[in-house]
Amino acid sequence: MAICLGTFMLLLDVTIVTVALPAMAADLGTTLADLQWVVDVYALALAALLLGVGSLADRIGRRKVYLAGLVVFTAASVVCAVAPDAGVLIGARAVQGLGAAGMFGTTIALLGTHYEGRRRGVAFAVWGATNSVAAAAGPMVGGLLTQYLDWRWIFFVNLPVCLVAVVLTLRSVREVKGAGRQRADVLGVVTFTVASGALTFGLIRAHSDGWTAPLTLGLFATAAVALALFVVVETRHENPVLDLSLFRRPSFTGIMVSALFLQGAAFASLLFASLWMQSVLGYEPVEAGLYILPMCAASFLVSALAGRFGPWSPRVTIGGGLALIALGSAMQATLDAGSTGGGIVAGLVVSGLGVGLVTPSLAAAALGTVPPERGGMVGGAVNTFRQLGFALGIAVFGLIFQSRIERVLRADGGVPDPHGTAAALSGGQARSIVAGWPEGERAELAHLVREAFASGLNAVLVVAAALGAVGSLLVVATVRVPAGGAERRPEAGASPHGQETRADAAL
C-alpha cells in the first residue's frame, strides 16, 4: 500500500497537468514552449535522476531514499501550487521530479525484496495496475480539480496523500540495501542529465528558432558531447549508474527500448488531444477528462487480470501490448474538422489495453535479467527510459504538431502570419484568435482551425502508432526472459515467506 500510494501520486503528476494546461496558459500567460516545459521538466528530472537514485539506494538503503523522495515531492508540490508565474512553476516542477525520482527509483527493488515466487508476480501486477491507472487517470483528476476548484489544486492534493504514504512507509516497509558501499557515479548522473535535457530543449526550440539556428545547433552539440562523455564515464567507473555491458544482452536492450517507446506512444499525445478538445472543441476540463477516462479503466482491468492469470511470457505481454498501443493510436488518427472527442475514445480503449499488458511485465522482466544486488540500478533504468520516452515524445510531438498546423494554415493562404498563428494555436489560444477575427470571417476561420488541429493531432498519432509497432517487433525479436522473470534468491534482509502481512502493507 505504501509503495503503490507513492507511485500513484508521482505518476499521476506526469499526466495530471495535461487537462489543466489551458487554464494555466490563461492564468500565467504561457506559450507552447512553456506548456511543454511544465510537463517535460518533471519527466526529464525524473528520468535523469532515476539512474543515480537507483544505485544510491542500493548503497545507503532503499527505504531511506524512498522516504526522502516523498518529503521533497510533497514540499515541491506546495511551491507548484502557489507559483506566481511560469518560471517558478517550471522550477518547482523540476524539484518535484527530483523527489519523484527518489520514490520511483526504489519501488521496483523494494517490491522485489518484499515478495517471492507467485506473490511477486501478483505484487508487480498490482503495482503495474497502479502505474496504468495513475498515468491514465491524470487527465480526469486534473479536469475535476481544475473545473470545480482551481488548477493549483492538482498540486495541493498531493500533500495529504503523501503524508499518509510517509506514515505507511515508516510502519510497513523494512530497510534493504544492495551489496557493498561503492563510490557514487556523480559524473554519470550529470552527463546523462545534460544530454537528455539539451536534446529535449533543442527539439522544443527547433521549430521556433529553426533547425540551423545557433541555439538549436548548440543544444544538439551539447547533447552529443554529454552523451559521449556519459558513455566514457560509464565504461570506466567501478560502480556506474547504468552498466552499459548489460546492453550486450538482447533481452535487456529490448526491454529498455520498449520502456522508451511505451510512454511516448501511449501518453505523450494526450497533451495535444487535451488542447484540441478544450481550446478548439470548447470542452470543459472534466468533459475532456471523461473522454480519456476509458483508457484508465481498460489499463487497470488488463493489469489486474494479467497478474491473476499469469505469468505470461514478456514477448506476449510487452510485444502484444505495444502492438495494441500502435493499433489504438492508428484508430485515433482519423480526425477531421467535424470530429468530436468521441472520435478518439475507441482508440484510447485499445491503447489502454496495451498499457495494462506492458507496464507490470516491464518491471518483472527487467529484474529477471540481472542479479538481485543490481535491482536498484535496473529498476531505475526501466523507469528512466519510460520517463525519457515521455519527455522526448512531448518534444518531438510538439514539433510535429505545430509544424502540421502551420502547413495547413499556409496552404489555406488566408492567415497573414501562419507561423505566429500556429504557435499561438499550439499554445492553447484558439478561442482568443477566433474571437479577434472580423465577425463575418469567424466561422470560416473556426473551421480552418479545427481542420489544422485535426491534421496536427493525426500526424502525432501516426508517429505514435509507428513507435508502438516498431517497439512490438523489436521485443518479439530480442526478448527471451522466462514468464514472470527469472527466479532469484532473496537479498540480505529479505524474509522468504514469513512476513506476508507486512509485505502486503508495503505494497
Side-chain angles (χ1 to χ4, degrees), residues 392-408:
L392 291 176
I394 292 289
V396 172
F397 289 173
L399 179 65
I400 295 170
F401 184 68
Q402 187 170 325
S403 297
R404 182 56 67 93
I405 289 177
E406 181 178 343
R407 182 182 303 177
V408 173

Side-chain angles (χ1 to χ4, degrees), residues 265-323:
F267 296 111
S269 63
L270 293 181
L271 184 154
F272 307 98
S274 176
L275 284 174
W276 170 64
M277 286 188 284
Q278 292 188 68
S279 67
V280 176
L281 302 185
Y283 294 171
E284 294 295 333
V286 170
E287 188 177 5
L290 282 172
Y291 280 105
I292 301 174
L293 184 61
M295 182 181 186
C296 168
S299 61
F300 176 79
L301 178 63
V302 172
S303 290
L305 291 177
R308 180 171 295 275
F309 295 105
W312 305 88
S313 166
R315 295 176 69 190
V316 173
T317 54
I318 301 176
L322 285 169

Side-chain angles (χ1 to χ4, degrees), residues 255-265 382 384-386 388-390 392:
I255 291 168
M256 293 301 113
V257 174
S258 64
L260 184 76
F261 286 1
L262 166 64
Q263 296 297 105
V382 170
T384 289
F385 276 76
R386 286 181 59 188
L388 183 61
F390 182 73
L392 291 176

Side-chain angles (χ1 to χ4, degrees), residues 138-472:
M140 185 62 216
V141 176
L144 286 168
L145 294 173
T146 300
Q147 183 169 331
Y148 293 110
L149 293 173
D150 185 83
W151 67 262
R152 297 178 185 276
W153 278 93
I154 67 176
F155 301 112
F156 275 131
V157 75
N158 291 338
L159 182 58
V161 179
C162 287
L163 291 177
V164 171
V166 168
V167 173
L168 289 175
T169 302
L170 290 171
R171 293 181 57 183
S172 61
V173 179
R174 63 183 178 277
E175 186 59 277
V176 181
K177 298 181 181 180
R181 298 179 63 86
Q182 298 146 318
R183 183 167 57 93
D185 183 13
V186 177
L187 189 56
V189 175
V190 171
T191 52
F192 184 85
T193 302
V194 172
S196 56
L199 176 59
T200 303
F201 191 25
L203 290 169
I204 290 175
R205 299 299 305 177
H207 186 69
S208 58
D209 295 347
W211 287 96
T212 59
L215 176 59
T216 305
L217 293 176
L219 287 166
F220 288 147
T222 300
V225 171
L227 181 60
L229 288 174
F230 175 74
V231 172
V232 172
V233 170
E234 297 310 280
T235 54
R236 297 183 177 182
H237 201 282
E238 61 182 8
N239 184 43
V241 291
L242 181 59
D243 185 355
L244 298 182
S245 67
L246 291 174
F247 286 97
R248 298 171 188 164
R249 308 179 184 185
S251 292
F252 181 84
T253 301
I255 291 168
M256 293 301 113
V257 174
S258 64
L260 184 76
F261 286 1
L262 166 64
Q263 296 297 105
F267 296 111
S269 63
L270 293 181
L271 184 154
F272 307 98
S274 176
L275 284 174
W276 170 64
M277 286 188 284
Q278 292 188 68
S279 67
V280 176
L281 302 185
Y283 294 171
E284 294 295 333
V286 170
E287 188 177 5
L290 282 172
Y291 280 105
I292 301 174
L293 184 61
M295 182 181 186
C296 168
S299 61
F300 176 79
L301 178 63
V302 172
S303 290
L305 291 177
R308 180 171 295 275
F309 295 105
W312 305 88
S313 166
R315 295 176 69 190
V316 173
T317 54
I318 301 176
L322 285 169
L324 285 172
I325 291 170
L327 175 61
S329 297
M331 289 171 62
Q332 296 173 65
T334 57
L335 305 174
D336 55 35
S339 296
T340 65
I344 63 174
V345 172
L348 284 174
V349 170
V350 174
S351 292
L353 297 175
V355 171
L357 277 176
V358 176
T359 304
S361 302
L362 273 176
L367 285 176
T369 65
V370 298
E373 63 270 14
R374 301 303 286 160
M377 184 273 290
V378 170
V382 170
N383 292 325
T384 289
F385 276 76
R386 286 181 59 188
Q387 299 311 315
L388 183 61
F390 182 73
L392 291 176
I394 292 289
V396 172
F397 289 173
L399 179 65
I400 295 170
F401 184 68
Q402 187 170 325
S403 297
R404 182 56 67 93
I405 289 177
E406 181 178 343
R407 182 182 303 177
V408 173
L409 296 180
R410 199 175 295 279
D412 178 78
V415 178
D417 179 16
H419 181 79
T421 304
L425 288 172
S426 302
Q429 301 177 38
R431 293 186 190 182
S432 60
I433 289 175
V434 173
W437 214 252
E439 187 173 353
E441 302 176 10
R442 287 178 189 171
E444 183 179 352
L445 178 64
H447 183 273
L448 177 62
V449 167
R450 289 171 69 101
E451 180 184 350
F453 256 82
S455 178
L457 191 53
N458 283 340
V460 165
L461 290 165
V462 166
V463 176
L467 287 176
V470 171
S472 176

